[in-house]
Amino acid sequence: MKTAVIGYPRIGSKRELKFAIEKYLKGQIEQSELITKAKALRKINWLDQDNQKIDFISSNDFSFYDNVLDTAYLLNIIPKRYQSLDLDPLDKYFAMARGYQGKAGDVKALAMKKWFNTNYHYLVPEVEDDVQIELNGTKIFDEYQEAKDLNINTKPVIIGPYTLIKLLRFTGTLTIQDIVDDVIRVYVEIITKFNDLNAQWFEFDEPALVLDMDEADIGLFKNIYTKILKEKGAIKVLLQTYFGDIRDCYNDIMALDFDGIGLDFIEGKETLNLIKKYGFDQNKILFAGIVNGKNIWKNDYQKTIILLEEINENVNDIVISTSCSLLHVPYSLENEEKLDEKYKRHLAFAKEKLVELFQLKIISKLGTKHSYYVDNANIFNEAANRSNASVQARLASLKESDFIRQPLFDQRREIQKEKLKLPLLPTTTIGSFPQTSEVRANRRAYRKGEIDETTYCNFNHTMIQKWIKYQEEIGLDVLVHGEFERNDMVEYFGENLDGYLFTENGWVQSYGTRCVKPPVIWGDISRNHPLTVDYAVYSQSLTDKPVKGMLTGPVTMLNWSFPRVDISLKEVALQLALAIKDEVLDLEAKGIKIIQIDEAALREKLPLRKSDWQSEYLDWAIPAYRLVSSSVQADTQIHSHMCYSEFDDIIQAIEDMDSDVISFEASRSNLTLLDTLNKVKFKSEVGPGVYDIHSPRIPSVEEFETALKAMIEKIPVDKLWVNPDCGLKTRGVFETQSSLENMVTATKNIRLKLQQIKK
Ligand code: GLN
Ligand code: ZN
């Protein structure tokens, strides 16, 4: 049995790529230095894999920002607004990713969306009517050659044409049918070039095949690959799927002339059954995804070997592989010096997963007497102490009424209006303010024990004072404390709850240069002390305006952590909900009138197939949220924030959250959602983000007014809030303040206009 890896983390073991790109974008280093750095990182990645004798190593899994953007760029799917910028190719590329404001012009970034059921985000390519789809750039060939120069013969990997097409956004009149042949032509051209370069394998990643597919989708897929495979020449083609099973197209795929098919045995619930039921074409190689590319737990060899034996009954030629790209796990446990060995022995990050692939290969050859197998079995056979009796008792005693807020929405709304006395179109922000270098240095110094708690808190208090004063001065209506004590909205809570483990360097790329460090849920979760109350109370003491208490919701805590796998996700979510509920009640008791419970990632882990949404997810996720928020008084206003704006298909679930106010991301997408809200008579008040915080550009007052007017046309004005589309922690102070000032000015202008109309 051989081994394969779909993709490897590219951000660097200590986020070197992130820092290099950020420096480059600030003009602190030359482009050549960035390129050298990237090259060095690719080398490390390839050598890591080569050291573990991985037989199929990918190239082109590297990206300066995002693989989907790379693919669109390679096909020259580049909107005119970027084409026309007088910038060099890499800068144009970054302009698509992040927007651009400078000498060459002023353009917004492409929209960003979650990548399937992960916390990775891709850029949504836009197809304009005059798009010229053709091969553009040489990245994929250069990186292949670069590996070859290191004596590593890679399989170049690319997002496949079917998935790419499914992710495209058509901004004009063109449809899929108008471009599909051009797309095919470019992919054929790429394969032909790789034939010329004597590459042995080429990999198409087609995760979109694990989604629900209808006849038209299957037809499109067959059409594309029938044409491509006819031209494949001597190169062997691997069709790689991940994040689920391919129940809708299994036989169609099998009938096509692929040389290898990559299937996910971890998230693909039906994968094994499909093979058993329909067999596997013995002229093809199965790339079996059996090492989990998403979680950080050690592979249980006892289970994996049984699985491999079962697969082997139906398949001759098996390559063992990761279930998806290792992009979704941190780089290596080698960087974890503080984590106790008793935990570490249960974990495997990307580099350790390479070792697992290697060991499984050896075991499959030499049998289960091998020490690799025995040592692994010992770890899994030892009892790990993960449960907490009082948490268990609390869960067992939950009643239906714990999940229902009283009084009902309309009644509370009146009570809250009376109490809060906010103006029309209340302005607010989503919670965090810029995490400047001083803010981070303060946290770092405290963490390292270089300063005591008082010094640490005093600094945070000074920041809070400064920003509360600023918010009052510019006229925001609902203030926030700024989250200076938080490294990350999930990790901060994780570090303060029992049951969590956290890492020093367990970074995972979220988008572009942004990484998150998901904490690890090890045991039953409980809260032993208030987490946010002191800063909230301090902030409220500085102002008469309401300051929002700021919490992370249970579903987001779960979705942005590495969850345990020995109990159900539902159980973990309810444990988290109980812990956060205690915090909500403490805030309320201390006089905090508005509490925001961020469910940034609620949508993210929706099962990829609609048929599973309710039963496998929403049936416990929404109740978990309600458990947190249902016990407050009528006059406490509960806000929720979400980092996306695709609600159309889960609008009922969002409504069932029973929040008083919901803010969400809307600025990079169009406003059709607002029509949906209108149509279903959505009850909660809403704050559709009026500007994009993922980009450094500063919208003008006019731009804000236009955006607000568009919103008012769609949403009853007395239900509308005005806010950025997410927290401001990643932005600089100048751009944050300029944007907020423009936002407030525009809101005031609109209020005035509305008053005049009324008169
Ligand atoms: N309150 C958080 C912040 O402002 C929300 C972040 C998020 O939604 N990702 O940073
Ligand atoms: Zn957000």
Side-chain angles (χ1 to χ4, degrees), residues 114 429-433 435 480 482-483 486 488-489 514 550-552 556 560 596-601 641-644 663 665 693-694 725-730:
K114 304 269 177 202
T429 62
I430 303 304
S432 56
F433 282 127
Q435 296 258 331
V480 296
E483 304 184 19
R486 304 184 191 176
D488 171 274
M489 65 186 285
R514 172 122 182 91
M550 198 57 64
L551 304 174
T552 303
T556 299
W560 283 352
Q596 179 174 312
I597 303 163
D598 289 328
E599 280 295 14
H641 166 71
M642 303 181 173
C643 279
Y644 44 85
S663 66
E665 202 175 293
I693 64 90
H694 307 86
D725 71 354
C726 196
L728 293 156
K729 64 170 165 252
T730 56

Side-chain angles (χ1 to χ4, degrees), residues 319-381:
V319 171
I320 47 184
S321 177
T322 53
S323 65
C324 60
S325 167
L326 296 175
L327 175 71
H328 308 294
V329 292
Y331 176 74
S332 172
L333 282 169
E334 284 165 8
N335 297 326
E336 301 305 324
E337 281 162 19
K338 294 205 185 118
L339 202 59
D340 197 300
E341 190 50 40
K342 73 175 183 222
Y343 301 122
K344 251 184 173 169
R345 56 198 265 104
H346 292 272
L347 304 178
F349 293 176
K351 199 167 173 182
E352 293 72 34
K353 286 177 192 279
L354 301 177
V355 177
E356 294 185 338
L357 286 170
F358 174 77
Q359 295 190 343
L360 284 164
K361 170 158 83 174
I362 299 295
I363 295 166
S364 73
K365 192 152 75 191
L366 301 179
T368 52
K369 296 242 152 48
H370 196 284
S371 65
Y372 289 155
Y373 185 87
V374 177
D375 292 349
N376 178 278
N378 285 339
I379 292 173
F380 280 90
N381 294 341

